[in-house]
Amino acid sequence: MIDLHTHTNASDGTTPPSDLIEQALTAGLEAIAITDHDTFAGYDEALPIAAGAGLDLVCGLELSTKYNKRSIHLLGYFPVQPPTAEFRDWLRFNQESRRDRNRRLAQRLQSLGLDVKLEEVERLGRTLAGRPHFAQLLVQKGYVSSYQEAFDEYLDEAAKGYVDRDEAQLGDAIERVAAAGGIPTIAHPIRVTRDATTLRALLTEIKSRGLAGIEVFHSDHTPEDSAEYAILAREFGLLPTGGSDFHGDRKPSVRLGTGVNGNLNVPKAVLDRLRNQ
Ligand code: AMP
Ligand code: FE
Ligand code: FE
Ligand code: ZN
């Protein structure tokens, strides 16, 4: 069993990289990929620990991208060679734009009467403070009663506190990942659309930009969904990938390696194919 979609506390997970490696070993996983949002910081920290413990750790990340004004997540895998220095520079640039958004978001929430300071959010989110940390703070301060309510009331794209961020376009992000030596992979397609025709049209378009993989297995996918995505993978010549989307205590129902109530079991052959393509 392997898990190619995990988050550490370097992005919006709650598990420190070293703990994640330990948990993966305890769970008997053969390999994991760390796919933090927009950063390799968690992977970099975990790599020597994984090497020492004999766990196969794959370098990855998850990028939030824009496509026709919608947000689509793109996974990038670097299973053979590390990402280029140019790509890491580009990530730093993106982090600056996120920080700028956070500054404006804090102002916006203040104008709505909420006492939320950028420094408080950054203390929670460290290198990659984002909306999940705003949500956490709103809960802590008692402005909302749950994490989800924070999004519904204030932080969701359709909510009153939302401010826009300068995100990469999906096609450009695919090209960046490919140029950096990575495998651009569409994340959790179930969250993109439930309409098969729309998904096919999207895959046709972005395959031409260099899309190379599709996340067939995911905690949000039913067995039927995964079967359908496996067929699409074959049809479009995309590499199948899969993982739990583990976020630690932030999403406690999602377990490392096994997903929600054991609905995940990603075969090791998936990783072998990523390495041998
Ligand atoms: P950011 O990149 O800072 O804009 O935050 C994006 C993250 O916020 C996503 O990866 C999700 O974890 C979370 N998120 C975004 N929209 C929602 C929502 N409507 N409900 C719950 N979590 C959300
Ligand atoms: Fe996340
Ligand atoms: Fe995602
Ligand atoms: Zn994820």
Side-chain angles (χ1 to χ4, degrees), residues 23 37 78 107 119 136 158 161 189 200 212-213 237 239 250 264 269:
Q23 288 185 31
H37 298 277
F78 300 82
Q107 279 165 7
E119 304 80 67
Q136 196 179 333
R200 274 169 197 277
L239 292 157
R250 188 156 342 257
L264 193 80

Side-chain angles (χ1 to χ4, degrees), residues 12 37-38 62 64 73 98 101-102 128-134 147-148 151-152 155-157 162 165 167 191 247 250-251:
D12 61 344
H37 298 277
D38 307 312
E62 184 171 20
S64 304
H73 289 179
R98 172 190 290 274
R101 188 283 310 268
N102 289 346
L128 211 89
R131 281 185 290 160
H133 309 100
F134 278 90
Y147 180 81
Q148 193 54 51
F151 273 95
D152 295 345
L155 303 171
D156 182 78
E157 273 172 64
Y162 186 74
R165 176 156 76 93
E167 282 178 345
R191 291 197 208 154
H247 280 75
R250 188 156 342 257
K251 294 180 185 168

Side-chain angles (χ1 to χ4, degrees), residues 23-79:
Q23 288 185 31
L25 289 166
T26 306
L29 289 170
E30 289 171 90
I32 65 165
I34 291 180
T35 53
D36 276 317
H37 298 277
D38 307 312
T39 179
F40 292 122
Y43 167 80
D44 292 341
E45 196 179 319
L47 185 58
I49 302 163
L55 179 76
D56 188 359
L57 178 66
V58 176
C59 178
L61 90 170
E62 184 171 20
L63 297 166
S64 304
T65 72
K66 279 261 154 43
Y67 177 80
N68 291 343
K69 303 216 165 154
R70 294 192 44 216
S71 177
I72 292 188
H73 289 179
L74 181 75
L75 290 159
Y77 290 108
F78 300 82

Side-chain angles (χ1 to χ4, degrees), residues 66-164:
K66 279 261 154 43
Y67 177 80
N68 291 343
K69 303 216 165 154
R70 294 192 44 216
S71 177
I72 292 188
H73 289 179
L74 181 75
L75 290 159
Y77 290 108
F78 300 82
V80 182
Q81 75 225 53
T84 60
E86 289 85 344
F87 189 74
R88 284 182 179 262
D89 285 344
W90 180 67
L91 288 184
R92 266 190 287 276
F93 171 80
N94 283 346
Q95 281 162 23
E96 256 321 297
S97 108
R98 172 190 290 274
R99 182 145 203 269
D100 173 63
R101 188 283 310 268
N102 289 346
R103 198 174 291 127
R104 287 181 289 115
L105 179 52
Q107 279 165 7
R108 175 70 169 251
L109 295 173
Q110 280 159 23
S111 77
L112 292 171
L114 309 180
D115 172 31
V116 170
K117 296 186 193 70
L118 180 64
E119 304 80 67
E120 296 174 301
V121 175
E122 290 189 335
R123 215 170 297 136
L124 289 175
R126 307 189 316 149
T127 45
L128 211 89
R131 281 185 290 160
H133 309 100
F134 278 90
Q136 196 179 333
L137 195 63
L138 291 178
V139 175
Q140 273 176 23
K141 295 201 167 197
Y143 290 121
V144 290
S145 55
S146 72
Y147 180 81
Q148 193 54 51
E149 192 186 326
F151 273 95
D152 295 345
E153 278 279 308
Y154 295 107
L155 303 171
D156 182 78
E157 273 172 64
K160 59 186 170 211
Y162 186 74
V163 299
D164 214 358

